[in-house]
Amino acid sequence: MAFHEHVTEFAGLPVVEFRTPETEEERLRRIQEEAEYREEPIPDRLAPDPAADAAYAAALADPGSVAWRLRLVPEISEEPFDDCFARFLDEVDTARVTALIVGCWGEESDDPASVPRDLLVEHAGRFPRLRALFLGEVLQEEAEISWIVQCDVAPLLAAFPALEELAVRGGDGLEFPATGHDALRGLVVQTGGLPREVTTGILASRLPALEHLELWFGVEDYGRTTTVDDLAPLLAGELFPALRSLGLRNAEYTDDLVRALADAPVLRRLEVLDLSLGTLTDTGARVIRDSPAAFRRLRRLDLHRHHLSEPVMDELREALPDVDLDLGEPTEPRTFDDGSRWYHPAVTE
């Protein structure tokens, strides 16, 4: 898996991109590239798009009905993100905005000072209804996930006490010191390498409303120091009393996670378990097959993007007939000249 496209829905709302001269120029360039590819006349300006214009006008009229994406366009944008953000404050009634996506904030991806956390914190009062925030929706063409420099996100939680959903992409520089938040229901951390300090900080936090936790582990080569042992407090089932959905995704030790989960008290509380994008092999799948009572309680088990053989997939379906089982995207490991194989998660660099 790679992040080639922007999300079209966030927090249950359709995504609308805040229009700037740069995003409009980008849209024109893509139309021109498509026309050139099809050997059609290449337009020199954007043609009227009544449907898109009407949708944008409706979003401006009811800013809480959509999730707003705010971003710079690499190689086009010349203004700093601060100016783009100021324009957003001027043109959109942010007092009614409920969901915000912060995408690419510039080419200074190696500069922690460029992360717009402090800008969001400074203007938190302009977003009294904000319930969902995605910090770092950066596409692969803009920066590899391991290049996205992040920050300490605890000040965001402090600044937005009513926040219910927080998603963060990028593990370099990411910090999540133990904190408390009464409203947060969903936490997603997408990385190509999850530091142990981030994991332990999350698990040490007081999050009584947390229903969904999703961690993307990645690989050691890109900063992953979190181990299965570090998840012991979570697997013991005593953290996060409202937890019903758990994603332990993009791991290079998915088989080990399955072994730990088979006897884990937390599994008895879950309705959804997501082990996708990782390195599940027939060995790990047989643990699930041979422990049906542990996994049969689940409503949904997502294993997509795995390394399973067809016979073992059939065995899983037979063992868990009442579980919504996602076994899509079977993937072959990388094979080297000496015959060795590398089972790697979907998102690394």
Side-chain angles (χ1 to χ4, degrees):
M1 175 184 177
F3 302 109
H4 294 301
E5 298 180 352
H6 291 290
V7 297
T8 58
E9 182 179 299
F10 179 57
L13 298 172
V15 175
V16 167
E17 181 153 282
F18 176 62
R19 291 181 176 181
T20 67
E22 290 79 13
T23 59
E24 294 297 275
E25 181 180 344
E26 179 190 46
R27 188 157 66 96
L28 174 60
R29 287 188 183 185
R30 291 185 175 176
I31 291 172
Q32 291 171 332
E33 290 170 358
E34 292 173 3
E36 183 178 12
Y37 177 78
R38 294 193 302 266
E39 298 183 348
E40 297 175 351
I42 299 175
D44 59 1
R45 67 189 65 185
L46 286 172
D49 188 338
D53 292 344
Y56 193 74
L60 288 173
D62 186 5
S65 65
V66 301
W68 289 91
R69 176 185 294 113
L70 185 60
R71 68 185 180 99
L72 299 184
V73 182
E75 300 179 0
I76 294 179
S77 295
E78 297 182 356
E79 66 178 2
F81 186 83
D82 298 41
D83 291 349
C84 182
F85 188 78
R87 182 184 293 115
F88 181 66
L89 294 178
D90 288 340
E91 298 183 15
V92 177
D93 183 2
T94 58
R96 299 163 65 189
V97 169
T98 60
L100 181 65
I101 299 170
V102 178
C104 180
W105 49 75
E107 296 182 353
E108 312 90 352
S109 60
D110 58 349
D111 180 7
S114 70
V115 184
R117 178 202 63 190
D118 292 345
L119 196 63
L120 292 166
V121 170
E122 178 185 353
H123 295 280
R126 299 287 299 272
F127 296 87
R129 296 182 59 192
L130 191 69
R131 297 295 180 269
L133 174 64
F134 188 164
L135 180 64
E137 197 223 4
V138 178
L139 301 189
Q140 188 178 40
E141 66 186 48
E142 297 167 337
E144 299 285 357
I145 192 170
S146 64
W147 302 353
I148 303 171
V149 173
Q150 273 293 350
C151 61
D152 178 354
V153 297
L156 288 171
L157 293 173
F160 297 100
L163 198 68
E164 297 179 357
E165 185 171 343
L166 175 64
V168 181
R169 181 177 296 170
D172 186 7
L174 180 63
E175 297 180 27
F176 198 113
T179 187
H181 197 283
D182 291 327
L184 196 68
R185 297 171 55 192
L187 175 61
V188 177
V189 180
Q190 300 175 343
T191 79
L194 185 63
R196 172 181 289 113
E197 294 78 11
V198 173
T199 304
T200 55
I202 292 172
L203 300 188
S205 295
R206 185 187 61 80
L207 304 172
L210 193 69
E211 299 174 359
H212 174 72
L213 174 63
E214 184 177 319
L215 304 175
W216 294 38
F217 296 105
V219 298
E220 281 189 274
D221 287 347
Y222 290 102
R224 196 270 305 161
T225 53
T226 298
T227 67
V228 176
D229 289 343
D230 295 323
L231 302 175
L234 174 65
L235 301 182
E238 298 178 358
L239 302 180
F240 314 135
L243 191 70
R244 297 296 179 267
S245 175
L246 177 61
L248 303 176
R249 310 182 69 189
N250 196 48
E252 57 183 338
Y253 41 56
T254 308
D255 286 354
D256 293 334
L257 286 171
V258 168
R259 294 187 189 94
L261 283 161
D263 297 319
V266 72
L267 199 57
R268 301 172 197 147
R269 297 170 40 205
L270 297 180
E271 298 176 2
V272 177
L273 177 62
D274 188 344
L275 302 174
S276 65
L277 306 182
T279 53
L280 184 69
T281 69
D282 286 354
T283 299
R286 289 190 181 105
V287 174
I288 299 175
R289 178 201 65 187
D290 295 339
S291 310
F295 293 91
R296 196 175 289 148
R297 301 182 183 91
L298 295 170
R299 175 173 54 82
R300 176 171 172 78
L301 176 58
D302 190 341
L303 303 176
H304 83 269
R305 203 280 182 186
H306 54 75
H307 301 288
L308 304 185
S309 64
E310 284 290 343
V312 170
M313 283 192 276
D314 289 338
E315 292 170 9
L316 282 179
R317 295 186 185 101
E318 184 176 352
L320 302 171
D322 299 321
V323 176
D324 180 9
L325 192 59
D326 189 341
L327 292 170
E329 298 183 46
T331 305
E332 290 293 326
R334 184 175 298 179
T335 303
F336 297 97
D337 292 339
D338 61 1
S340 62
R341 292 184 168 190
W342 179 39
Y343 296 86
H344 59 90
V347 181
T348 54
E349 183 181 7

